[in-house]
Amino acid sequence: MPPSLPTPSVALRAIPTLARAATTSAGTTPTPPKPPPSKDHHVHSYSPEAFPLGYAVSSTHASIKKKAGALDLGILVSTADRPCSAAACLTRNVFKAAPVTVTTELLHSGHGRARGFIVNSGCANAVTGKKGLEDAWAMSKNTTSQLPPGPDGVGTLVMSTGVIGQHLPISNILGKIPDLTRSLEDSSKAWLDLAKAFMTTDTFPKLRARTFKLGDRLVRIAGIDKGAGMIAPSMGPPQPPHATLLGVIATDAAIHPEALQSALNYAVDRSFNNITVDGDMSTNDSILCLANGAAGKVADEGRESADQMEEITELGNPEEFGIFKEELRSFAEELAQLVVRDGEGATKFVTIRVKNAPSYDIANAVAKSVANSSLFKTAMYGEDANWGRILCAVGYTPLSPNPISPTKVSVTFIPSSTLSDSTPLRLLTNGEPEPNIDEARASTILAEEDLEVEIDLGDGNEEAKVWTCDFSHEYVTINGSYRS
Amino acid sequence: MPPSLPTPSVALRAIPTLARAATTSAGTTPTPPKPPPSKDHHVHSYSPEAFPLGYAVSSTHASIKKKAGALDLGILVSTADRPCSAAACLTRNVFKAAPVTVTTELLHSGHGRARGFIVNSGCANAVTGKKGLEDAWAMSKNTTSQLPPGPDGVGTLVMSTGVIGQHLPISNILGKIPDLTRSLEDSSKAWLDLAKAFMTTDTFPKLRARTFKLGDRLVRIAGIDKGAGMIAPSMGPPQPPHATLLGVIATDAAIHPEALQSALNYAVDRSFNNITVDGDMSTNDSILCLANGAAGKVADEGRESADQMEEITELGNPEEFGIFKEELRSFAEELAQLVVRDGEGATKFVTIRVKNAPSYDIANAVAKSVANSSLFKTAMYGEDANWGRILCAVGYTPLSPNPISPTKVSVTFIPSSTLSDSTPLRLLTNGEPEPNIDEARASTILAEEDLEVEIDLGDGNEEAKVWTCDFSHEYVTINGSYRS
């Protein structure tokens, strides 16, 4: 590993908020610093029954992160008797990190089955050449070898997140794997600790769980994700492989690997692939999905079922598949939004909804153009109703041919549900600015943490939603010295 | 005009630099704030002979900018006896500002001839509907009507820059045009004042002039531009029209309108279209080019020539056209770089050079992907040699099909010429990180204002250069409250 740089900017990291200026050169009254809002309420607690059956997890400190005791290595293993289905959506970045390559090969060789995964934070093992690949394979194989024997070719998937271009402290990691495999458990605390082992610049661990009815069973789904910066994922199925958003969704439903991949593609395209913090698509973005079929309880009757749930396929069980796919999308959306809420330095959560577009792809491209505009994002931070910047970003959406007709476009602010007056505030109608915008009301709307910007293209029936955050002083502080 | 917002963030604008933190929450020794470097040395002074013959300029305060006396309206007029050739490259944003539309129509109706232009700063007259168009036409026609009679259809071009979505204070503007046309002059001060009338968040006026030999004549060229934010231009010729970089290049060479447009397209594609501050392509980006043929002095002999210079055409005078085109490109590059040096909050000037690419377009796309990465730009601000972010941005360049082979890519820092040790610092070779990077040297290189990042794709012979700046706290401060 290259040594750390000298510390020209170390002091910056210690500053939680540089948000608003504390002094002015003109000697005017200081504006008090405005800290990012507290995010503690996004950490939910669950009883052990909330988590899917047949999984065990553990995590530890392997000295990858510098902070003593910080969780930075974890594993999740399926303990079910039957093979566990596995699917993934992985980064489309040309520079795929070594763990992305290894996970791709393992999904192939295992024909869509896996034992579970190992994850580390603090080092991305990306752009690390041949040694990087050897290290990722060592993490996988070493874990698999310490689990009970399983089918040939079915291995442990790998995920890494952190600094790019540095080698993993692989001996630390391999030295900790025996501890991890010995201390596997299924407690609520163990799940939350695993979520902590995913974290880099995240300010809170991201863990969600829910239960739903699938066929005659009650099934459970749990998900962990991480990410705060380098967030603008574009992930597809492993062939061709393409990631630093990391996430895992584990369910005890029984889903055939092909159906699992198909449902995950659908869900990721409408959730993780529609969030942005800074427009930087990472080398490591990975969403894994595991389905071990361990769900035992028959819905409505509350009794445990002795028979195994049969694996759902797309053609064989279209109704159940449809239910699963939609539950997965909705769950993935919840997890994806947590990443935006914890965006580096974020003080705002903004939904960009583009409606009445000629196609979903056009709606999506327009929404992403606005969601990634530095000028729009700084205006949101400044709570400045500078809607001209929204229009500007709509107008430079890279579309060829470009079907947008300026005289058909309308823009509206939809206030947060936290406000008593939920009347939408129209800013532009068919390309003409509203003559008497209530700027005081605009300010009230923008002062809330949540905002929805609705862009009506006036030409079609399709709609897309993208979630973004604002661009703050704190973002610059965090990223001016990430490696320090 | 909508009223200004209440002032939640007004105090921010008064703060010249929030760059480095003055305090830390941990109570450690404060890091002193690091101001953007002084940019005064970029203001050059010229003798009156440096400016092209046959032009007169003037500027005034028309109460568009709030600051009393701030220059915000100006005109430039050709005073030559013969018609003045005119060409333009205008924004490709779908929401073309009213002045962009009017300039396009005037270039058509005038068959590539114009009287000059009128420019205002402080309000972009963009997304302003029908009234916006009426206002832009009024600016043009009112100016033309107060000049000596000229050929039918040949008018005064229009440019505007400032806030989007607000109407111009048109009666203020029209009331000042008689003063402007009465006070036209060709002094050095008048040229510099015109450059000031272009400014918005610019910290210095941008004016350059040079002289070169064209055929048997000495010709002069002068240029003004402005822009600091919303800078990621993509400009093409007026059909189809497309804009808040503003610039004008005026020469006393005699160039036929078609040849002038051809040379301008070439020059803009290799200069203004290859700069970025924040990746936001404006609704108003406009580069005008005027050539009035007033150059009188025969080169080498120093005597004034009584005969008019003949208009150069692309086919009729290939050698002279080639010289003019290359001079225009080089001059445009100088003007374009000034915009990046004055990028909002910029403390660094970074050249991204992509070489050994399969095509110019691929080289250009890769360079722009890095130049627009928020994570790369914040690392530059933090003087952090986090080159993994460079690779990451190379890897997500939107190319289809994507020809980049990760194992062929090399990355090198080329130190600023201000450093005594100019040895390039190799970071990555053929996809493998260099094992022992001298981090102390990397820090020394990154501490300078200028840096070149060389990205070798190892697959072809084509090359492109893009110029960008860093992303600082000050950028967020400026843009969190631009309208205030």
Side-chain angles (χ1 to χ4, degrees):
Chain A
M1 283 191 302
S4 284
L5 276 182
T7 53
S9 46
V10 157
L12 289 171
R13 299 222 76 194
I15 308 157
T17 50
L18 242 162
R20 300 308 170 92
T23 60
T24 74
S25 61
T28 51
T29 312
T31 307
K34 178 191 152 197
S38 163
K39 291 168 180 173
D40 294 347
H41 59 288
H42 295 305
V43 181
H44 294 183
S45 62
Y46 297 96
S47 65
E49 299 79 46
F51 296 102
L53 304 179
Y55 292 100
V57 302
S58 64
S59 48
T60 189
H61 173 61
S63 305
I64 311 167
K65 290 179 182 166
K66 290 176 191 165
K67 191 180 164 196
L71 297 171
D72 53 19
L73 186 69
I75 61 174
L76 176 148
V77 174
S78 170
T79 58
D81 294 337
R82 57 200 289 184
C84 179
S85 295
C89 283
L90 304 166
T91 187
R92 293 190 169 104
N93 195 306
V94 162
F95 290 91
K96 278 169 285 294
V100 172
T101 302
V102 168
T103 289
T104 301
E105 293 191 21
L106 283 167
L107 285 168
H108 262 283
S109 67
H111 301 287
R113 308 284 180 179
R115 306 295 303 270
F117 68 85
I118 180 165
V119 61
N120 78 274
S121 51
C123 173
N125 193 10
V127 199
T128 44
K130 287 172 197 147
K131 177 164 165 39
L133 271 173
E134 290 165 12
D135 290 349
W137 276 115
M139 285 173 70
S140 169
K141 289 182 174 171
N142 206 288
T143 307
T144 307
S145 72
Q146 295 181 47
L147 298 174
D152 276 357
V154 177
T156 303
L157 309 180
V158 195
M159 293 191 285
S160 297
T161 179
V163 180
I164 296 176
Q166 294 187 355
H167 288 297
L168 286 170
I170 190 67
S171 55
N172 295 359
I173 292 173
L174 299 183
K176 288 289 185 177
I177 292 175
D179 295 351
L180 288 174
T181 52
R182 268 197 304 267
S183 54
L184 284 160
E185 54 172 295
D186 60 2
S187 68
S188 302
K189 179 180 183 303
W191 276 94
L192 190 63
D193 281 351
L194 180 62
K196 290 177 183 169
F198 275 72
M199 293 166 66
T200 53
T201 53
D202 302 66
T203 67
F204 64 88
K206 298 170 182 66
L207 171 68
R208 288 290 182 271
R210 61 167 82 163
T211 300
F212 59 96
K213 191 180 158 185
L214 188 64
D216 66 351
R217 309 270 169 151
L218 272 185
V219 299
R220 295 147 209 90
I221 190 165
I224 289 171
D225 63 357
K226 66 81 54 178
M230 199 174 272
I231 298 293
S234 174
M235 298 180 287
Q239 328 84 314
H242 295 244
T244 297
L245 171 89
L246 295 187
V248 61
I249 299 174
T251 177
D252 53 16
I255 317 281
H256 187 272
E258 284 175 22
L260 192 66
Q261 184 69 52
S262 170
L264 186 65
N265 294 346
Y266 173 85
V268 167
D269 267 346
R270 285 154 185 81
S271 58
F272 295 106
N273 282 352
N274 279 357
I275 62 173
T276 182
V277 170
D278 48 19
D280 277 276
M281 185 205 306
S282 165
T283 52
N284 290 53
D285 293 332
S286 302
I287 300 291
L288 305 184
C289 191
L290 300 170
N292 67 1
K297 194 176 283 186
V298 171
D300 302 328
E301 303 181 30
R303 60 185 168 77
E304 291 297 320
S305 169
D307 58 317
Q308 285 199 332
M309 183 176 173
E310 255 187 68
E311 281 195 339
I312 287 171
T313 64
E314 199 162 349
L315 293 175
N317 317 77
E319 191 181 342
E320 284 91 345
F321 178 75
I323 292 168
F324 178 76
K325 188 169 95 161
E326 196 52 34
E327 282 286 349
L328 191 66
R329 184 206 59 75
S330 149
F331 190 64
E333 181 179 306
E334 185 179 358
L335 284 171
Q337 290 188 5
L338 285 179
V339 171
V340 176
R341 293 214 176 263
D342 202 18
E344 289 172 347
T347 74
K348 302 288 181 185
F349 178 83
V350 184
T351 302
I352 313 288
R353 186 157 71 94
V354 176
K355 67 179 200 182
N356 296 327
S359 73
Y360 174 80
D361 286 350
I362 289 169
N364 189 271
V366 170
K368 282 191 173 156
S369 189
V370 176
N372 279 317
S373 159
S374 296
L375 288 170
F376 169 67
K377 288 159 71 81
T378 47
M380 289 299 99
Y381 173 60
E383 301 178 357
D384 181 356
N386 197 332
W387 57 265
R389 293 177 178 176
I390 299 171
L391 261 288
C392 180
V394 171
Y396 66 66
T397 307
L399 295 168
S400 183
N402 195 317
I404 299 174
S405 170
T407 55
K408 291 183 181 170
V409 178
S410 301
V411 175
T412 307
F413 283 169
I414 312 290
S416 166
S417 59
T418 46
L419 286 172
S420 55
D421 182 356
S422 64
T423 319
L425 180 69
R426 180 61 72 89
L427 302 164
L428 184 91
T429 303
N430 296 328
E432 294 273 348
E434 287 293 313
N436 295 303
I437 292 170
D438 182 344
E439 294 269 351
R441 182 134 194 277
S443 293
T444 306
I445 290 172
L446 288 169
E448 295 298 293
E449 186 179 338
D450 286 24
L451 170 72
E452 179 174 320
V453 176
E454 181 191 279
I455 299 161
D456 185 338
L457 297 185
D459 186 18
N461 299 304
E462 296 298 324
E463 176 173 320
K465 276 187 189 179
V466 166
W467 298 278
T468 189
C469 57
D470 58 343
F471 219 148
S472 69
H473 290 111
E474 181 69 3
Y475 179 88
V476 177
T477 300
I478 292 169
N479 284 298
S481 57
Y482 180 62
R483 299 198 312 165
S484 304
Chain B
M1 282 189 304
S4 284
L5 275 183
T7 55
S9 47
V10 157
L12 288 171
R13 301 220 74 195
I15 308 156
T17 49
L18 242 162
R20 299 308 169 94
T23 60
T24 75
S25 62
T28 52
T29 312
T31 307
K34 178 191 153 198
S38 163
K39 292 167 179 173
D40 293 347
H41 59 288
H42 296 305
V43 181
H44 295 183
S45 62
Y46 297 96
S47 65
E49 300 78 45
F51 296 101
L53 304 179
Y55 291 100
V57 301
S58 64
S59 47
T60 190
H61 173 61
S63 305
I64 311 167
K65 291 180 182 165
K66 290 176 190 165
K67 192 179 166 198
L71 297 171
D72 53 20
L73 185 70
I75 61 173
L76 176 148
V77 172
S78 171
T79 58
D81 294 336
R82 58 199 289 184
C84 180
S85 295
C89 281
L90 304 167
T91 188
R92 293 190 170 103
N93 196 304
V94 163
F95 289 91
K96 280 168 285 293
V100 172
T101 302
V102 168
T103 290
T104 301
E105 293 192 19
L106 284 166
L107 285 168
H108 262 281
S109 67
H111 301 285
R113 307 285 180 180
R115 307 296 303 271
F117 67 86
I118 181 166
V119 61
N120 78 273
S121 51
C123 173
N125 192 10
V127 199
T128 44
K130 286 170 197 149
K131 175 163 166 41
L133 271 174
E134 290 166 12
D135 290 349
W137 276 117
M139 285 174 70
S140 169
K141 289 183 174 172
N142 206 288
T143 308
T144 307
S145 72
Q146 295 182 46
L147 297 173
D152 276 357
V154 176
T156 304
L157 309 180
V158 195
M159 293 191 285
S160 297
T161 180
V163 181
I164 296 175
Q166 295 186 354
H167 288 298
L168 287 169
I170 191 66
S171 55
N172 295 359
I173 292 173
L174 299 183
K176 288 289 185 176
I177 291 176
D179 295 352
L180 288 173
T181 53
R182 269 196 304 268
S183 55
L184 285 160
E185 53 172 295
D186 59 2
S187 68
S188 302
K189 179 180 182 303
W191 276 92
L192 190 62
D193 281 349
L194 180 61
K196 290 177 182 169
F198 275 71
M199 292 167 65
T200 54
T201 52
D202 302 66
T203 66
F204 63 88
K206 297 169 182 69
L207 172 67
R208 288 291 182 272
R210 61 168 79 162
T211 300
F212 60 96
K213 191 180 158 185
L214 187 65
D216 66 351
R217 309 270 170 149
L218 271 185
V219 300
R220 294 149 210 88
I221 191 166
I224 290 170
D225 63 358
K226 68 78 56 178
M230 199 175 270
I231 298 293
S234 174
M235 298 179 286
Q239 325 86 313
H242 292 246
T244 292
L245 171 87
L246 295 188
V248 61
I249 299 174
T251 176
D252 54 15
I255 317 280
H256 187 273
E258 284 175 22
L260 192 65
Q261 184 69 52
S262 171
L264 186 66
N265 294 347
Y266 173 86
V268 167
D269 267 345
R270 285 154 185 81
S271 57
F272 295 105
N273 282 352
N274 279 355
I275 63 172
T276 182
V277 169
D278 48 21
D280 276 276
M281 185 206 304
S282 165
T283 52
N284 291 54
D285 293 332
S286 302
I287 299 291
L288 305 183
C289 191
L290 300 170
N292 67 1
K297 194 175 281 186
V298 170
D300 302 330
E301 301 181 29
R303 61 183 167 78
E304 291 297 322
S305 169
D307 59 318
Q308 284 197 334
M309 183 178 173
E310 255 189 68
E311 280 194 341
I312 288 172
T313 64
E314 198 163 352
L315 294 174
N317 318 77
E319 190 181 343
E320 284 91 344
F321 178 75
I323 292 168
F324 177 76
K325 187 170 94 162
E326 196 51 36
E327 283 285 347
L328 191 65
R329 183 206 59 76
S330 148
F331 190 65
E333 181 179 305
E334 184 178 359
L335 283 170
Q337 291 187 3
L338 285 178
V339 171
V340 177
R341 293 211 177 267
D342 202 17
E344 288 172 348
T347 75
K348 303 288 180 186
F349 178 83
V350 185
T351 303
I352 312 288
R353 186 157 69 96
V354 176
K355 68 178 198 182
N356 296 328
S359 73
Y360 173 80
D361 286 349
I362 289 169
N364 190 270
V366 170
K368 282 191 174 155
S369 188
V370 176
N372 279 317
S373 158
S374 296
L375 288 171
F376 169 68
K377 288 159 72 78
T378 46
M380 289 298 98
Y381 174 60
E383 301 178 357
D384 181 355
N386 196 332
W387 57 266
R389 293 178 179 177
I390 299 172
L391 261 288
C392 180
V394 170
Y396 66 67
T397 307
L399 295 168
S400 182
N402 195 319
I404 299 174
S405 170
T407 56
K408 290 181 181 172
V409 178
S410 301
V411 176
T412 308
F413 282 169
I414 311 290
S416 165
S417 59
T418 47
L419 285 173
S420 56
D421 183 356
S422 63
T423 319
L425 180 69
R426 179 62 71 90
L427 302 164
L428 184 91
T429 304
N430 296 327
E432 294 273 349
E434 288 293 312
N436 295 303
I437 292 170
D438 183 344
E439 293 268 351
R441 184 138 191 277
S443 292
T444 305
I445 290 171
L446 288 170
E448 295 297 293
E449 186 178 337
D450 286 24
L451 170 73
E452 179 174 321
V453 177
E454 181 191 280
I455 299 161
D456 185 336
L457 297 184
D459 186 18
N461 298 302
E462 296 299 324
E463 175 174 320
K465 277 187 189 176
V466 167
W467 298 278
T468 188
C469 57
D470 57 344
F471 220 148
S472 70
H473 289 112
E474 181 68 4
Y475 179 87
V476 177
T477 300
I478 292 168
N479 284 299
S481 57
Y482 178 62
R483 298 198 313 165
S484 306

